[in-house]
Amino acid sequence: MVIVATGGEELKPDEYLYGKNERVMTQLEFEEHLVEEPQFSAAQKTVVMIQCVGSRNEERPYCSRVCCSTAVKNALRLKAKNPDAQVIVLYRDIRTYGLMEPYYREAREKGVVFVRYEPEDKPKVEERDGKLAIEFFEPTVRRRVTIYPDTLVLSSATIPRENEELALMLKVPRMADGFFLEAHIKLRPVDFATDGIYVCGLAHSPKNITESVAQAAAAAARAGTVLANDTISVGGVVAVVDEEKCAACLTCVRACPYSVPVINERGKAEIDPVKCHGCGVCAAECPGKAIQLQYFRDVQVLAKCDALYGKEEVAA
Amino acid sequence: MSEDDFEPKIVAFCCHYCAYTAADLAGSMRLQYPPNIRIIRLPCTGKVDVLHLLRAFEDGADGVYVAGCMEGDCHFINGNFRAKKRVQYAKKLLDEIGFGGERLEMFNMSAAMGTRFAEVAKEMVERIKKLGPSPIRGGKTKKDGDAL
Ligand SMILES: Cc1cc2nc3c(=O)[nH]c(=O)nc-3n(C[C@H](O)[C@H](O)[C@H](O)COP(=O)(O)OP(=O)(O)OC[C@H]3O[C@@H](n4cnc5c(N)ncnc54)[C@H](O)[C@@H]3O)c2cc1C
Ligand code: SF4
Ligand code: SF4
Ligand code: SF4
Ligand code: FES
């Protein structure tokens, strides 16, 4: 039983002078300053935030989902400590979805300014005479505006934590962006196609804590359905040997990826149904057609072929 | 029959852990792919038998393909390599009898590749449209000359 909950982290941006100018920081770093340094908030006259940094672009087409509400949350937090601070949020769309919308309204009421930018015309950030300059197009006054803030906060993308090795080990699929992929978006949202492995939280996709907790509860419940049993009945998809046909050629013994078939005291191949993983390799390789995989017996697969395009009498 | 109004019949043998899930994903993503594809699910492409591939053709399929996990990603270690060998063997048989081995193909994809699933379906339909109906359905055999 495995629940994959390796989580995610904040992308370290490679644009907007991040890492080159100490006034430029991510939302998490900004939050840390707000909480840890008592003098920090009072010293902030003007703060600019840029949304969708590293998200919703060609490299990462997805929305990181937490950054809009994190920006609003941190803007309100600064306003609470220093009501005179001017906060300007440069955004593409504000996605304070669900019950987070009232915080957005509150931020507007408290004077946080929201200015929309187009992805083709991103804000320009540069150093001018030792100051940080942010230039952007202000659509209501239809003019390019330059602001010299004390701090520039980047709402950077949420990315999955390094998980390639784990994915290869468990043989579970990931999307191109590195988030784990569930067996079915609607029908099996916390399962992998592989039995006994489940997924939840940020490892699966960007989401806030409430959503992560709900998904974690779901994954735990799914695992519970298995753990609560005293005995487990293994799937019926196992290979069965017809001893009459078996010539003890050892092909299956060599072919099985899990070394399940053995030659028994009668000199015939024997497959332990509890150990068999049900891949069907032995059934396909057996030269004597002495092995059938239950539920995928040759007659069943052939009947499907016949039913699709074959003549009616063959299908019947 | 011209290339335009020939609608090929194609059977796809799909591994449960990848292509079959990718087909589901293609559906959830609302991707369009030609309705010529009929899927038969297998627990792993390692289960596919030359017998199954040939029967699909015998039943009148114009094209057949096997879609398994990415190489190295087979849930049962190496079933997809075995499938690859069998497909290659069956292709040779089809070539020998003048049926045309290119009517059969093996593809690899992961469960996350809904887009690739749709692409493969389109690719295969286009290929078979060029080849025309299967000799069993009255199409030309390779020995008749200009099948491609
Ligand atoms: C910048 C940012 C701001 C956010 N702000 C908010 C917010 O304001 N409000 C909100 O509700 N949500 C917010 N979120 C989302 C919230 O952080 C997540 O939903 C939540 O933390 C996800 O929990 P998790 O357990 O899935 O992952 P994580 O919290 O990332 O935990 C995963 C854990 O697994 C460990 N791990 C990883 N790999 C392995 C391994 N191979 N073996 C063992 N352990 C491993 C990691 O060390 C980590 O401890 C924010 C996220 C980000 C990135
Ligand atoms: S949550 Fe907001 S800032 Fe973050 S990627 Fe989505 S739209 Fe952009
Ligand atoms: S491959 Fe078939 S014939 Fe050979 S030992 Fe196994 S069951 Fe018997
Ligand atoms: S079905 Fe697969 S796991 Fe089971 S005995 Fe055959 S080869 Fe081994
Ligand atoms: S499990 Fe997909 S090809 Fe083997």
Side-chain angles (χ1 to χ4, degrees):
Chain A
M1 197 66 46
V2 180
I3 295 180
V4 176
T6 47
E9 55 202 4
E10 194 182 47
L11 171 80
K12 294 281 173 222
D14 56 3
E15 52 185 334
Y16 299 126
L17 295 184
Y18 181 82
K20 299 195 177 88
N21 185 310
E22 60 180 22
R23 290 171 188 273
V24 183
M25 57 186 79
T26 65
Q27 285 290 355
L28 279 190
E29 290 158 358
F30 180 61
E31 195 167 333
E32 205 173 308
H33 281 295
L34 287 180
V35 177
E36 303 289 333
E37 286 172 44
Q39 311 306 325
F40 181 80
S41 305
Q44 303 296 309
K45 288 198 191 70
T46 310
V47 171
V48 172
M49 296 182 180
I50 303 180
Q51 299 305 105
C52 298
V53 177
S55 304
R56 303 173 68 201
N57 56 16
E58 271 194 17
E59 194 188 348
R60 280 175 227 89
Y62 60 88
C63 164
S64 291
R65 288 175 59 98
V66 289
C67 9
C68 279
S69 33
T70 305
V72 166
K73 176 185 77 178
N74 286 340
L76 285 174
R77 196 177 255 173
L78 175 63
K79 280 284 195 184
K81 294 192 177 182
N82 176 4
D84 294 332
Q86 166 83 267
V87 184
I88 298 155
V89 181
L90 306 178
Y91 72 98
R92 280 172 59 189
D93 297 287
I94 287 295
R95 296 189 169 170
T96 44
Y97 57 93
L99 299 177
M100 294 175 292
E101 195 70 10
Y103 296 107
Y104 172 54
R105 197 177 320 126
E106 187 185 340
R108 298 203 75 135
E109 281 162 9
K110 295 230 162 95
V112 176
V113 178
F114 290 85
V115 181
R116 183 173 200 144
Y117 75 86
E118 297 294 331
E120 304 78 46
D121 183 20
K122 297 206 288 189
K124 280 193 189 57
V125 178
E126 52 192 25
E127 280 173 27
R128 285 186 204 161
D129 314 319
K131 281 194 266 178
L132 193 59
I134 324 285
E135 192 192 309
F136 56 90
F137 181 74
E138 214 298 333
T140 38
V141 296
R142 304 184 144 271
R143 244 183 230 172
R144 299 200 78 78
V145 177
T146 304
I147 288 183
Y148 299 89
D150 301 295
T151 302
L152 170 63
V153 189
L154 304 179
S155 289
S156 193
T158 307
I159 52 168
R161 205 170 264 115
E162 174 50 43
N163 57 16
E164 188 170 350
E165 201 187 333
L166 186 71
L168 287 176
M169 200 167 89
L170 297 174
K171 294 205 194 272
V172 290
R174 294 178 307 159
M175 299 291 284
D177 46 40
F179 290 106
F180 286 101
L181 179 76
E182 68 278 39
H184 192 284
I185 298 175
K186 291 172 186 161
L187 303 179
R188 296 174 68 194
V190 297
D191 296 19
F192 282 113
T194 312
D195 289 336
I197 310 186
Y198 307 92
V199 63
C200 65
L202 231 48
H204 165 262
S205 65
K207 51 179 69 73
N208 63 35
I209 293 175
T210 327
E211 291 164 339
S212 289
V213 170
Q215 209 183 9
R222 290 288 295 151
T225 59
V226 177
L227 294 174
N229 294 322
D230 293 332
T231 53
I232 302 174
S233 36
V234 291
V237 184
V238 291
V240 175
V241 181
D242 177 352
E243 291 201 356
E244 298 265 296
K245 291 189 182 160
C246 174
C249 71
L250 298 182
T251 304
C252 58
V253 177
R254 295 200 190 97
C256 174
Y258 306 99
S259 311
V260 179
V262 290
I263 302 295
N264 64 18
E265 64 285 358
R266 289 184 296 280
K268 304 287 178 184
E270 183 168 312
I271 290 168
D272 182 343
V274 177
K275 289 189 192 147
C276 173
H277 291 236
C279 68
V281 160
C282 57
E285 295 282 329
C286 171
K289 290 259 154 266
I291 308 181
Q292 291 295 335
L293 184 69
Q294 299 288 56
Y295 292 93
F296 294 94
R297 288 178 294 134
D298 285 321
V299 285
Q300 290 174 297
V301 177
L302 294 177
K304 284 185 189 173
C305 292
D306 295 344
L308 287 180
Y309 295 129
K311 300 179 199 80
E312 309 251 309
E313 64 269 32
V314 188
Chain B
M1 218 185 309
S2 84
E3 210 177 282
D4 289 333
D5 45 46
F6 162 52
E7 285 301 338
K9 298 176 171 182
I10 296 176
V11 177
F13 289 92
C14 293
C15 158
H16 168 76
Y17 291 92
C18 49
Y20 196 76
T21 313
D24 255 350
L25 184 63
S28 315
M29 288 165 82
R30 291 165 198 274
L31 296 174
Q32 298 282 333
Y33 61 87
N36 309 61
I37 312 294
R38 297 285 181 276
I39 296 177
I40 294 182
R41 184 173 70 100
L42 294 175
C44 166
T45 56
K47 171 73 183 75
V48 84
D49 210 304
V50 176
L51 194 68
H52 307 155
L53 302 174
L54 298 184
R55 174 68 76 91
F57 282 118
E58 201 184 322
D59 279 334
D62 303 298
V64 172
Y65 64 94
V66 177
C69 303
M70 301 300 285
E71 298 196 345
D73 269 357
C74 172
H75 186 72
F76 302 106
I77 304 175
N78 59 3
N80 49 359
F81 283 104
R82 290 179 184 279
K84 192 174 162 187
K85 273 198 205 144
R86 290 182 209 137
V87 166
Q88 251 140 31
Y89 176 71
K91 268 162 116 41
K92 239 174 44 198
L93 291 182
L94 293 172
D95 271 334
E96 278 167 17
I97 59 168
F99 207 95
E102 60 273 41
R103 290 185 183 275
L104 173 65
E105 203 51 78
M106 167 104 196
F107 295 97
N108 300 90
M109 65 186 75
S110 81
M113 295 180 173
T115 324
R116 179 74 188 134
F117 182 87
E119 261 172 33
V120 162
K122 275 183 216 144
E123 233 176 275
M124 209 53 198
V125 169
E126 273 159 32
R127 181 194 295 192
I128 304 299
K129 275 198 170 172
K130 284 208 188 94
L131 292 170
S134 123
I136 285 194
R137 296 216 287 144
K140 289 179 186 148
T141 63
K142 274 298 250 256
K143 281 176 195 138
D144 294 348
D146 53 0
L148 235 190

